[in-house]
């Protein structure tokens, strides 16, 4: 079997005999609570999945990874793995700090050897190749602390994981299982989607081609917001591995990786990680590790960028790239075949991922057996109800007095009329309850919006409709909320009312007081409002009533599938307004 990258598997776990003493020592130390992303990174550092990296990166490793995709010692490594902190309270050079989970479980002790500043734009430009706030990591980085710390790690325990424990295998354990199969060649495969027949066919062909073992290795850490949850995905993987693969040719294991959605760099990183688990081949498909499209609707990365980058480095890395060739189903022959091997005129069939979601799952229709195994179809049907029973969020943003709350109230009533369960989260009401005590600084405003976004995301995740009306003045924070909820169920509504009109409507005289300098930090006067660049809907409240605008939103939601049986009046209004597709409504 291929050795780990760098020659050995890193292990940062302390011996069992030392755990009790270190636990007692840690009670005397200042603590840092890790984010979910940092916990995933810690776990993979501890078990050697990131070998030869042996800790959160110091300044020299970090900078060379950004600039050259290499560690300071010259080894390939395309993604920075760092531990950001907000401030240095309790953190001192050459001193120890306890690393804990968000639930305060002790995980590790870090001896701080470096504290250094990092630059968001530098990472955005070099790793992600974009500063577009629709990229989930570009917007997430804005919440990370401005400093990174690094030093020797002593890991006392891995983060607690209660699901699929028999499949949560370390690199050492995966390698042992692969050895038992008796096939030294190993091809690794991951997808963020459920496994369908085309994936099954592809992986079986790849396994046969190398005369080896398939490492079916889905990422179950953090993936793209809105992806199929890993519980559903793993259930489909288990069903297929147990019923449709040769048990001597497949090893199913879960990878607790917090993905960066960095496209080509991430593809190279995934291959490196799989070498540490024993794979010397890696399947890379179209748009590997892509977050989708940017604010203008263009893909962040080219469809084959990841394949091309891995091909450039595969000899040095020791992992051969196997391209995910497009396969089509031949109905007359009941088999799949590569596109370039199908004679012209032969009847073919295919279903895209968009069609799976929009034409089958969202419509409550069963996927055809030629496309997916019945076990997978049943699991997906259980997990994903029709679109009109799925959750979503309508997010109103605009100046104070623009008409957000009035339109949101009208929309709430219409959604209830259409049989949806709705929760209205109005900015003023939220500040009375959920955000009581917060002020109006930028940090407090962002905190308030994130709280609303978190609640909206939970409502949507459980099948309800969240209608949110808050000024939410900052574009980056609104994009964070879009990621929390899931881009495919987030509808941003820009209530584009001119400032002069908002001032005219202001019965309380708040704008006038802000103009006179009697109050400060008033959005639109002495604090900026960043209008959305590409909202789903733009409303005019000067020439259209709140009810008219609410019915226009209902027509949009009808086209998206979030509601059904829209009243004729709404349909006629949509036609009159020229609304003909569920994107780009203005």
């Amino acid at each position: 079997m291929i050795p780990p990258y760098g020659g050995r598997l890193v292990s940062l776990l302390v011996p069992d005999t030392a755990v009790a003493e270190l636990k007692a020592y840690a009670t005397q130390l200042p603590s840092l609570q890790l984010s979910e992303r940092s916990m995933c990174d810690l776990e993979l550092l501890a078990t050697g999945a990131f070998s030869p990296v042996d800790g959160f990166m110091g300044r020299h490793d970090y900078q060379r990874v950004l600039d050259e995709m290499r560690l300071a010692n010259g080894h390939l490594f395309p993604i920075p793995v760092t531990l950001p902190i907000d401030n240095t309270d309790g953190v001192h050079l050459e001193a120890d700090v306890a690393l804990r989970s968000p639930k305060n479980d002790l995980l590790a002790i870090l001896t701080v050897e470096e504290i250094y500043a990092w630059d968001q734009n530098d990472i955005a430009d070099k790793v992600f190749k974009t500063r577009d706030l629709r990229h989930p990591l570009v917007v997430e980085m804005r919440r990370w602390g401005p400093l990174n710390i690094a030093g020797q790690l002593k890991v006392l325990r891995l983060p607690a994981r209660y699901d699929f424990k028999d499949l949560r295998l370390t690199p050492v354990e995966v390698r042992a299982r692969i050895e038992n199969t008796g096939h030294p060649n190993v091809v690794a495969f991951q997808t963020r989607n459920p496994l369908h027949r085309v994936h099954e066919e592809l992986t079986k062909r790849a396994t046969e081609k190398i005369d080896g073992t398939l490492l079916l290795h889905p990422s179950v850490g953090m993936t793209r917001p809105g992806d199929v949850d890993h519980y559903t995905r793993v259930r489909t993987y288990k069903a297929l591995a147990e019923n449709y693969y040769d048990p001597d040719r497949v090893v199913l294991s879960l990878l607790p990786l917090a993905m960066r959605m960095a496209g080509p760099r991430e593809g190279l990183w995934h291959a490196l990680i799989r070498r540490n688990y024993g794979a010397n081949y890696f399947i890379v498909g179209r748009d590997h590790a892509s977050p989708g499209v940017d604010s203008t609707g263009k893909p962040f990365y080219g469809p084959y960028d990841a394949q091309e980058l891995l091909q450039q480095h595969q000899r040095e890395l020791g992992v051969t790239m196997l391209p995910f060739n497009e396969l089509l189903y031949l109905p007359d022959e009941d088999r799949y075949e590569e596109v370039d091997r199908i004679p012209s005129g032969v009847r073919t069939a295919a279903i895209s991922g968009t069609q799976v979601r929009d034409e089958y799952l969202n419509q409550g229709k069963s996927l055809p057996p030629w496309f997916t195994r019945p076990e997978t179809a049943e699991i997906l049907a259980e997990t994903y109800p029709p679109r009109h029973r799925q959750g979503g969020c309508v997010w109103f943003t605009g100046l104070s007095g623009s008409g957000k709350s009035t339109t949101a109230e009208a929309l709430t009533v219409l959604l209830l009329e259409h049989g949806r369960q709705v929760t209205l989260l109005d900015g003023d009401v939220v500040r009375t309850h959920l955000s009581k005590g917060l002020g109006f600084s930028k940090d407090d405003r962002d905190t308030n919006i994130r709280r609303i976004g978190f609640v909206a995301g939970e409502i949507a995740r459980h099948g309800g409709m969240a209608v949110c009306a808050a000024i939410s003045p900052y574009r980056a924070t609104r994009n964070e909320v879009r990621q929390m909820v899931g881009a495919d169920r987030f509808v941003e509504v820009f209530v584009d009312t001119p400032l002069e009109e908002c001032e005219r409507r202001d019965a309380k005289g708040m704008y006038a007081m802000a103009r006179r300098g009697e109050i400060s930090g008033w959005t639109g006067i002495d604090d900026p409002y960043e209008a959305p660049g590409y909202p789903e809907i733009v409303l005019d409240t000067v020439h259209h009533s709140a009810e008219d605008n609410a019915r226009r939103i209902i027509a949009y939601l009808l086209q998206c599938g979030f509601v059904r049986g829209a009243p004729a009046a709404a349909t006629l209004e949509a036609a009159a307004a020229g609304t003909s597709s569920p994107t780009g409504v203005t």
Side-chain angles (χ1 to χ4, degrees), residues 64 97 451:
R64 194 170 181 194
V97 61
R451 289 180 182 178

Side-chain angles (χ1 to χ4, degrees), residues 36-37 39-41 43-44 161 163 168 217-224 227-231 233-234 254-259:
E36 179 61 31
R37 182 172 299 282
M39 280 209 306
C40 289
D41 288 347
E43 183 169 357
L44 295 182
R161 312 287 188 191
D163 58 322
R168 290 187 173 273
H217 209 208
S219 176
V220 296
M222 300 174 69
T223 59
R224 183 179 65 178
D227 279 349
V228 175
D229 66 88
H230 80 264
Y231 304 103
R233 287 187 288 121
V234 174
L254 309 186
L255 180 69
L257 175 69
M259 294 180 65

Side-chain angles (χ1 to χ4, degrees), residues 88-217:
T88 56
D89 293 347
V91 177
H92 305 286
L93 287 173
E94 307 307 325
D96 290 340
V97 61
L99 304 184
R100 298 181 180 273
S101 75
K103 296 181 179 179
N104 214 37
D105 295 326
L106 176 65
L107 301 176
I109 295 173
L110 172 68
T111 301
V112 181
E113 297 169 0
E114 290 187 63
I115 304 173
Y116 63 96
W118 63 281
D119 185 271
Q120 293 176 5
N121 289 334
D122 202 22
I123 295 183
D125 294 340
K126 294 174 180 175
V127 177
F128 304 114
K129 305 296 185 184
T130 182
R131 297 188 186 184
D132 193 307
L133 294 174
R134 289 287 175 91
H135 192 293
L137 261 291
V138 171
V139 73
E140 183 190 313
M141 283 194 301
R142 299 172 71 93
R143 298 202 309 270
W144 299 356
L147 302 172
N148 287 334
I149 59 173
Q152 183 185 19
L153 271 173
K154 297 176 182 176
V155 181
L156 281 67
R157 56 169 289 189
L158 300 179
R161 312 287 188 191
Y162 303 112
D163 58 322
F164 306 112
K165 296 192 74 168
D166 58 324
L167 299 178
R168 290 187 173 273
L169 307 176
T170 66
V172 169
E173 293 167 333
V174 168
R175 284 174 165 269
R177 292 202 181 184
I178 290 172
E179 292 239 2
N180 288 336
T181 68
H183 307 290
N185 283 331
V186 180
V187 57
F189 177 72
Q190 78 168 60
T191 175
R192 305 192 326 266
N193 298 304
L195 284 183
H196 298 296
R197 290 287 298 277
V198 67
H199 303 112
E200 180 187 334
E201 185 68 24
L202 173 79
T203 52
K204 286 179 176 177
R205 291 187 185 196
T207 305
E208 182 180 346
K209 180 178 180 179
I210 67 166
D211 187 25
T213 298
L214 170 67
L215 173 58
L216 189 55
H217 209 208

Side-chain angles (χ1 to χ4, degrees), residues 134 293-295 387 393-397 478-479 482 486-495 532-539 552-553 556-557 559-560 562 579 581-586:
R134 289 287 175 91
V293 296
D294 63 18
S295 295
R387 185 69 153 176
C393 172
V394 179
W395 187 279
F396 289 86
T397 177
R478 292 195 302 269
N479 276 287
R482 181 183 291 271
D488 64 333
R489 49 190 182 186
F490 184 85
V491 179
E492 187 174 39
V493 178
F494 176 33
V495 186
Y534 301 91
E536 279 72 21
I537 300 175
V538 180
L539 297 182
R552 185 163 165 232
I553 297 170
Y556 176 89
L557 296 176
Q559 293 173 355
C560 292
F562 281 112
T579 304
S581 69
T583 56
V585 178
T586 59

Side-chain angles (χ1 to χ4, degrees), residues 261-279:
M261 311 310 301
R265 279 198 182 215
E266 182 124 0
L268 181 61
W269 192 40
H270 289 173
L272 184 155
I273 292 168
R274 275 21 182 262
R275 171 169 173 173
N276 289 325
Y277 280 87

Side-chain angles (χ1 to χ4, degrees), residues 349-421:
I351 300 176
S352 69
T354 300
Q355 287 176 301
V356 168
R357 181 179 63 250
D358 295 344
E359 297 180 18
Y360 288 89
L361 297 181
N362 287 347
Q363 302 298 324
K365 293 171 57 179
S366 297
L367 289 161
W370 63 264
F371 179 78
T372 198
R373 296 290 189 183
E375 294 88 344
T376 298
E378 183 179 352
I379 290 169
L380 292 178
E382 291 173 353
T383 308
Y384 289 91
R387 185 69 153 176
H388 67 272
R389 288 170 47 209
Q390 294 177 23
C393 172
V394 179
W395 187 279
F396 289 86
T397 177
L399 293 170
S400 176
S402 61
K404 300 182 301 298
S405 296
T406 308
T407 310
E409 289 171 3
L411 176 64
T412 298
V413 172
L414 293 180
L415 284 169
L416 290 168
E417 178 187 345
H418 282 80
R420 294 307 314 252
Q421 296 297 311

